[in-house]
Amino acid sequence: MTRPADDIALPFAIEGAEARGRIVRLGPVAERVISGHGYRGDAARLAGEALTIVSLLGSSLKFEGTLTLQTRGDGRATMVAADFVTPGHVRSFVSVDADAEPDAPLLGNGSFALTIDPDEGQNRYQGIVELAGSLSEAALTYFQRSEQIPTRLKIVVGQVQTPGEAPQWRAGGIILQRVAGEGGHRPFDPDDDDWRRFGALLNTVGADELLDPMLGGEDLLYRLFNEDGVRVFAAQPIGFRCRCSSARVENILKSYTAEELADLTTPEGLIEAKCEFCGALYPFDPAALTPPGQR
């Protein structure tokens, strides 16, 4: 049996219902991000959830640019960051307070920000909502308040073991939105029979279905919406790529004072900067970073 494609976003439309969405299936990309950082438990699932959200939202961009998700909160996960760079490059990381109480909330209260930064021709946009609950709940609040687009969202992250292979992290998500039809958007009725039914159908999707590497996205969408006439469009590949580089890090460090650089210097006489997203380590000689007049 041929294994369905992984690491993709599949756009779809439900015919005649003014509803469009995307389904994302992440296999090797989720494994690379989560295992590459050594995340465990709820921190691992949080990193996968952030990765899935930016994949679902970023894959809808109609222009070249970057979509960034960032949170700051008072929970054990003090910061979550993820981004999607067109045409389909993603990364994410979670900063966990090692000294926090193990039973403290993972996210707690704080802020959730989505930033869209076009490469050229359009203005940068940022929407910020309160962080209370999960990332998915904050994303739904963002759509309700900032975009005013009726949205349903389901995301699952977990480990899956197939015969003959070690357990692998996977993530899957579906987003469904009410969109304007021909002639403009009709007033949204939350009690609309179709919209309520679509929500009920999404609630029936099990974690095993979203994570199953042998169940293709097209097949899952057909299970859900075949009676409504679902139409699936071309898949968009998604891959891990980090934008860090030695030159980028060097430019940042050159803005530090000599005293600040001294505080960062190791006993071996080097400054070692580590990328939070991919784990790359960049060593520098402090003398090469400090202007001659400050040495």
Side-chain angles (χ1 to χ4, degrees), residues 45-109:
R45 290 178 175 82
L46 187 59
E49 186 179 9
L51 200 66
T52 306
I53 290 174
V54 297
S55 297
L56 286 166
L57 305 185
S59 59
S60 69
L61 292 177
K62 305 301 183 185
F63 49 81
E64 299 299 310
T66 302
L67 181 142
T68 302
L69 177 159
Q70 185 169 322
T71 74
R72 292 189 181 276
D74 59 9
R76 286 182 288 120
T78 56
M79 180 178 179
V80 181
D83 59 37
F84 178 104
V85 180
T86 56
H89 304 137
V90 295
R91 60 181 186 169
S92 75
F93 86 89
V94 176
S95 179
V96 178
D97 182 358
D99 297 325
E101 294 294 331
D103 57 350
L106 180 61
L107 287 172
N109 298 310

Side-chain angles (χ1 to χ4, degrees), residues 103-120:
D103 57 350
L106 180 61
L107 287 172
N109 298 310
S111 62
F112 171 98
L114 284 175
T115 305
I116 298 174
D117 196 359
D119 287 346
E120 58 183 29

Side-chain angles (χ1 to χ4, degrees), residues 29-254:
V29 167
E31 174 67 20
R32 165 64 180 84
V33 170
I34 296 173
S35 294
H37 285 87
Y39 295 136
R40 297 182 179 179
D42 53 6
R45 290 178 175 82
L46 187 59
E49 186 179 9
L51 200 66
T52 306
I53 290 174
V54 297
S55 297
L56 286 166
L57 305 185
S59 59
S60 69
L61 292 177
K62 305 301 183 185
F63 49 81
E64 299 299 310
T66 302
L67 181 142
T68 302
L69 177 159
Q70 185 169 322
T71 74
R72 292 189 181 276
D74 59 9
R76 286 182 288 120
T78 56
M79 180 178 179
V80 181
D83 59 37
F84 178 104
V85 180
T86 56
H89 304 137
V90 295
R91 60 181 186 169
S92 75
F93 86 89
V94 176
S95 179
V96 178
D97 182 358
D99 297 325
E101 294 294 331
D103 57 350
L106 180 61
L107 287 172
N109 298 310
S111 62
F112 171 98
L114 284 175
T115 305
I116 298 174
D117 196 359
D119 287 346
E120 58 183 29
Q122 300 184 53
N123 293 328
R124 183 174 183 265
Y125 170 80
Q126 184 176 70
I128 302 176
V129 297
E130 68 270 19
L131 176 66
S134 69
L135 289 183
S136 295
E137 289 170 331
L140 287 172
T141 300
Y142 164 83
F143 280 109
Q144 178 182 349
R145 296 186 181 177
S146 299
E147 300 290 331
Q148 297 183 344
I149 301 175
T151 302
R152 300 201 185 274
L153 180 66
K154 184 155 190 175
I155 293 175
V156 177
V157 181
Q159 283 187 296
V160 174
Q161 185 167 17
T162 55
E165 298 181 8
Q168 300 285 308
W169 282 100
R170 295 183 60 82
I174 302 177
I175 188 170
L176 184 64
Q177 296 179 310
R178 202 64 180 267
V179 296
E182 294 184 7
H185 185 64
R186 68 186 181 189
F188 175 64
D189 179 3
D191 294 322
D192 177 270
D193 289 341
D194 283 340
W195 189 244
R196 289 167 61 91
R197 183 165 54 82
F198 294 156
L201 289 172
L202 280 184
N203 287 337
T204 67
V205 179
D208 56 336
E209 291 180 293
L210 274 173
L211 299 181
D212 186 353
M214 300 307 296
L215 176 61
E218 298 96 329
D219 294 330
L220 179 53
L221 290 171
Y222 181 79
R223 284 186 185 180
L224 289 171
F225 305 118
N226 70 90
E227 294 183 358
D228 298 285
V230 63
R231 181 157 57 109
V232 181
F233 303 96
Q236 180 174 347
I238 295 174
F240 173 83
R241 180 180 294 181
C242 191
R243 293 179 284 134
C244 72
S245 69
S246 179
R248 282 175 179 256
V249 177
E250 182 177 356
N251 286 335
I252 294 173
L253 290 175
K254 283 183 174 179

